[in-house]
Amino acid sequence: MNHDAYDDNYIRGILNSVKSIAMVGASPVNVRPSYFAFKYLAQRGYDMIPVNPGHVGKQLLGKPFVASLTDIGRPVDMIDIFRSSAHIMPVVDEVLTLSPLPKVIWMQLGARDDAAAEKAEAAGIKVVMNRCPKIEYGRLSSEISWMGVNSRTLSSKRAPIPTQGMRLSLNRMSVGGGATAASDRAAKNKSEPT
Amino acid sequence: MTDRLPGFSTLAVHAGAQPDPTTGARVTPIYQTTSFVFNDADHAASLFGLQAFGNIYTRIGNPTTAVLEERMAALEGGTAALAVASGHAAQVVVLQQLLMPGDEFIAARKLYGGSINQFTHAFKSFGWNVAWADPDDIASFERAVTPRTKAIFIESIANPAGSITDIEAIADVARNAGVPLIVDNTLATPYLIRPIDHGADIVVHSLTKFLGGHGNSLGGIIVDGGTFDWSKENKYPMLSEPRPEYHGIRIQETFGNFAFAIACRVLGLRDLGPALSPFNAFMILTGIETLPLRMQKHCENAKAVAEFLAGHPAVASVNYAGLAGDKYNQLARKYAPKGAGAVFTFSLRGGYDAGVSLVSNLKLFSHLANVGDTRSLVIHPASTTHSQLDDDAKVRSGAGPDVVRLSIGIEDKEDLIGDLAQALSA
């Protein structure tokens, strides 16, 4: 897997197939990127689970926080890690103790740990690094086009009108795939997420 | 399996546009509305808090304009774009994100005369200081860098003489200085040159010119290359620091590689206000669909006219990078292999008086202050677009008193040459 530039079909396949997402490092503070992504993915119909030991006993948009992945107590399709690169490996190690294993480990924009990715992939888990699932979902559905963002997709089909909880079609023709050569030039040096 | 990548002409027709979800309209409708109804209070709050994608108010974004933005981002190979009311507005909004009072930016000396005025005079009152450099002398950019330098600004094909800028060499200077390179790509359009592919971080346009292409609508655009890390040093607080107007959001952290376009929208356009009318966005979108066809014809005609003028006894010199012997021909071959554009200058042996006489004798060329129209245009820069510069600055920017500028349209080239021939011999 080339983690510098993902093919759109790889990302599309993941976002189309997963149903439940545990977000490690989810924040209840409504200006944090993790809150944005959590809320958006919940609105698009994903079964979201906030994981953050600092907020156990509280809820995020009606979903109770759990302290750790092992506390979820049911199978999860994808783990979305909102931690900086230095904190990725311990989370991946914890993921690998889960049974059944999740299908996907997703590391947020700015987060990348190639050794952790290799370990997860050796266990049969798909890995995405340095991407945001909210941005990728918005891009592949073209919902992000409202913001003048280059979705790098085309479609001659009539678009649905997004409503609360509705999953959008991601099945558009890709213009540039994940190979955004120019935009990935600076990606490796991006600042750490929180 | 990877999808085949659509070509430039396909993007020019399709990028950003799809049938309207409500009506099925195939052409992008003109959403001539100021405001958009929220689903509920939470939706409204999410939109205002930048948590959700959607429309609020046409000063911040509009569905017709958004199609234009995505199309331009696709054509330039950028991550996102923001359309504004004019090319001048684009420059104000870009620099507002980058400069604080007392900061500096370096600009190429060869620029559109209006940009020279804007940088020299209007921006001085904001405390933004311009340092001029010579695009033919890369070292002059290096020498102009100071600790307060926040950006470098150049034109890809430069006004008024259509000279070609060595974008990659200046991009190296910008990278070494840790500042973004802004390229005004108006005269080239992405059909001829894509500056981001050559190391630019931000591209701006006057859409009024070749992109709209028909001389009927003003517009400007900012394209984010997605290439610059705004948080690496603490030089760009608009992008890297918590924004009080959005309860502490950090723009780059939240929006990743299209953060600059978002900053321009939610901090620049929202607060400064130079929004593009949806009607103009529609007109420009329609123009862009035929951009590749028009640019081919513009360039073919321009080369034929330049060759004619170069062989005419009344003409002292022709500055067109598409001519084999031109000073910029090597750079044109590298950066603009499909054509060197359609705006260029020539000088007459008869000097200022011959220039004035030529302009008044032309019957097909229109004498006006624009370029990039379907119609062929002529102007005498020294008395119009560059008239506010002093004599020395006129000559240095390529707009001396004997210089006439042409913008070649898409008429039959024989008719353009015939008009020039009769005007030169009149």
Side-chain angles (χ1 to χ4, degrees), chain A residues 81 83-86 88 106-113 129-132 186-194, chain B residues 252-253 256-257:
Chain A
I81 308 177
R83 302 296 309 274
S84 61
S85 301
I88 295 292
W106 189 303
M107 303 175 203
Q108 202 53 38
L109 209 54
R112 178 164 178 158
D113 181 336
M129 298 192 283
N130 189 27
R131 292 288 188 278
C132 171
K188 285 169 196 155
N189 304 319
K190 283 271 192 268
S191 49
E192 299 283 285
T194 45
Chain B
Q252 180 173 21
E253 172 190 69
N257 67 7

Side-chain angles (χ1 to χ4, degrees), chain B residues 114-200:
Chain B
S115 295
I116 295 174
N117 284 332
Q118 186 191 45
F119 294 177
T120 306
H121 303 295
F123 287 176
K124 191 179 280 179
S125 61
F126 300 166
W128 303 344
N129 300 312
V130 60
W132 298 105
D134 180 356
D136 298 333
D137 174 13
I138 302 303
S140 70
F141 284 84
E142 288 168 352
R143 288 194 300 272
V145 173
T146 76
R148 299 300 302 259
T149 303
K150 293 297 176 71
I152 297 178
F153 186 100
I154 59 174
E155 292 180 359
S156 52
I157 297 183
N159 250 294
S163 47
I164 311 287
T165 305
D166 191 347
I167 301 170
E168 289 174 11
I170 298 172
D172 284 343
V173 176
R175 198 169 304 114
N176 290 335
V179 303
L181 175 64
I182 306 162
V183 177
D184 181 341
N185 199 31
T186 298
L187 294 188
T189 81
Y191 179 74
L192 298 179
I193 299 177
R194 301 211 318 170
I196 294 167
D197 293 346
H198 297 292

Side-chain angles (χ1 to χ4, degrees), chain A residues 7 9 12 30-33 35-36 39-40 43 109 134-135 138 142-161 172-177 182-183 185-186 189-191 194, chain B residues 1-6 11 15 17-24 42 46 49-51 53 55 63 66 69-70 73-74 78-81 196 199 226-227 229 231 246-247 249 252-254 256-258 262 265:
Chain A
D7 191 278
N9 284 329
R12 193 180 276 130
N30 70 359
V31 298
R32 303 304 304 147
Y35 178 93
F36 282 32
K39 183 173 180 180
Y40 179 83
Q43 284 174 338
L109 209 54
K134 174 187 177 184
I135 290 171
S142 89
E143 198 183 7
I144 205 168
S145 300
W146 297 120
M147 306 288 282
V149 173
N150 185 2
S151 71
R152 307 200 305 274
T153 63
L154 304 179
S155 176
S156 60
K157 297 285 182 284
R158 197 161 160 172
I161 303 164
R172 297 163 57 84
M173 176 180 177
S174 281
V175 168
S183 60
R185 245 196 272 151
N189 304 319
K190 283 271 192 268
S191 49
T194 45
Chain B
M1 198 192 78
T2 305
D3 295 322
R4 191 197 116 74
L5 308 186
L11 294 178
Q18 74 181 100
D20 184 67
T22 307
T23 62
D42 181 60
S46 295
L50 306 180
Q51 292 166 8
F53 310 121
N55 298 300
E69 290 164 343
E70 183 173 2
T79 53
I196 294 167
T227 47
D229 184 357
S231 306
Y246 289 103
H247 308 293
I249 288 177
Q252 180 173 21
E253 172 190 69
T254 308
N257 67 7
F258 54 91
I262 295 290
R265 182 185 302 279

Side-chain angles (χ1 to χ4, degrees), chain B residues 126-368:
Chain B
F126 300 166
W128 303 344
N129 300 312
V130 60
W132 298 105
D134 180 356
D136 298 333
D137 174 13
I138 302 303
S140 70
F141 284 84
E142 288 168 352
R143 288 194 300 272
V145 173
T146 76
R148 299 300 302 259
T149 303
K150 293 297 176 71
I152 297 178
F153 186 100
I154 59 174
E155 292 180 359
S156 52
I157 297 183
N159 250 294
S163 47
I164 311 287
T165 305
D166 191 347
I167 301 170
E168 289 174 11
I170 298 172
D172 284 343
V173 176
R175 198 169 304 114
N176 290 335
V179 303
L181 175 64
I182 306 162
V183 177
D184 181 341
N185 199 31
T186 298
L187 294 188
T189 81
Y191 179 74
L192 298 179
I193 299 177
R194 301 211 318 170
I196 294 167
D197 293 346
H198 297 292
D201 300 294
I202 298 162
V203 173
V204 294
H205 283 277
S206 167
L207 298 170
T208 314
K209 311 303 187 306
F210 293 102
L211 284 155
H214 296 72
N216 58 26
S217 303
L218 287 181
I221 204 151
I222 300 155
V223 181
D224 184 351
T227 47
F228 198 85
D229 184 357
W230 306 103
S231 306
K232 202 170 180 181
E233 298 168 66
N234 196 25
K235 278 162 85 167
Y236 302 100
M238 295 284 270
L239 289 122
S240 65
E241 295 302 301
R243 292 310 308 173
E245 55 272 70
Y246 289 103
H247 308 293
I249 288 177
R250 287 183 171 89
I251 301 287
Q252 180 173 21
E253 172 190 69
T254 308
F255 295 102
N257 67 7
F258 54 91
F260 186 76
I262 295 290
C264 287
R265 182 185 302 279
V266 305
L267 303 176
L269 182 60
R270 187 195 74 157
D271 292 348
L272 298 175
L276 182 67
S277 122
F279 181 78
N280 280 20
F282 174 84
M283 296 298 284
I284 294 163
L285 267 175
T286 304
I288 289 173
E289 294 186 6
T290 57
L291 176 71
L293 297 173
R294 286 185 291 105
M295 289 311 289
Q296 288 164 22
K297 182 78 168 171
H298 278 296
C299 290
E300 178 194 324
N301 283 359
K303 189 155 191 279
V305 170
E307 282 167 352
F308 162 75
L309 289 170
H312 197 283
V315 173
S317 63
V318 177
N319 298 301
Y320 182 60
L323 292 178
D326 191 83
K327 180 182 174 187
Y328 297 99
N329 189 248
Q330 283 303 319
L331 286 170
R333 284 168 192 273
K334 174 177 180 179
Y335 287 104
K338 284 186 282 199
V343 175
F344 64 92
T345 58
F346 64 101
S347 57
L348 291 160
R349 293 192 193 282
Y352 184 93
D353 292 341
V356 171
S357 162
L358 173 80
V359 168
S360 61
N361 288 329
L362 285 164
K363 293 173 180 167
L364 199 53
F365 281 78
S366 304
H367 180 208
L368 55 77

Side-chain angles (χ1 to χ4, degrees), chain A:
Chain A
M1 177 54 57
N2 174 12
H3 290 290
D4 292 325
Y6 299 104
D7 191 278
D8 275 0
N9 284 329
Y10 179 69
I11 302 289
R12 193 180 276 130
I14 288 171
L15 292 174
N16 273 332
S17 63
V18 305
K19 294 185 174 64
S20 53
I21 302 175
M23 185 181 285
V24 177
S27 171
V29 179
N30 70 359
V31 298
R32 303 304 304 147
S34 61
Y35 178 93
F36 282 32
F38 190 96
K39 183 173 180 180
Y40 179 83
L41 294 170
Q43 284 174 338
R44 288 283 149 261
Y46 290 100
D47 171 13
M48 299 300 296
I49 302 152
V51 182
N52 192 329
H55 296 288
V56 173
K58 290 186 244 170
Q59 296 195 335
L60 182 49
L61 302 171
K63 309 280 185 182
F65 275 99
V66 296
S68 70
L69 292 170
T70 45
D71 290 345
I72 295 172
R74 61 185 170 96
V76 180
D77 295 329
M78 176 166 126
I79 312 296
D80 182 11
I81 308 177
F82 258 92
R83 302 296 309 274
S84 61
S85 301
H87 298 98
I88 295 292
M89 188 62 96
V91 180
V92 170
D93 285 336
E94 189 188 354
V95 171
L96 293 174
T97 67
L98 299 175
S99 179
L101 290 172
K103 299 187 189 94
V104 180
I105 294 177
W106 189 303
M107 303 175 203
Q108 202 53 38
L109 209 54
R112 178 164 178 158
D113 181 336
D114 287 85
E118 207 172 308
K119 211 186 229 188
E121 285 170 337
I125 299 173
K126 288 182 181 171
V127 175
V128 176
M129 298 192 283
N130 189 27
R131 292 288 188 278
C132 171
K134 174 187 177 184
I135 290 171
E136 294 303 302
Y137 192 99
R139 186 173 73 76
L140 293 173
S141 67
S142 89
E143 198 183 7
I144 205 168
S145 300
W146 297 120
M147 306 288 282
V149 173
N150 185 2
S151 71
R152 307 200 305 274
T153 63
L154 304 179
S155 176
S156 60
K157 297 285 182 284
R158 197 161 160 172
I161 303 164
T163 54
Q164 183 75 22
M166 173 184 169
R167 294 286 285 270
L168 303 177
S169 167
L170 307 183
N171 199 20
R172 297 163 57 84
M173 176 180 177
S174 281
V175 168
T180 50
S183 60
D184 284 335
R185 245 196 272 151
K188 285 169 196 155
N189 304 319
K190 283 271 192 268
S191 49
E192 299 283 285
T194 45

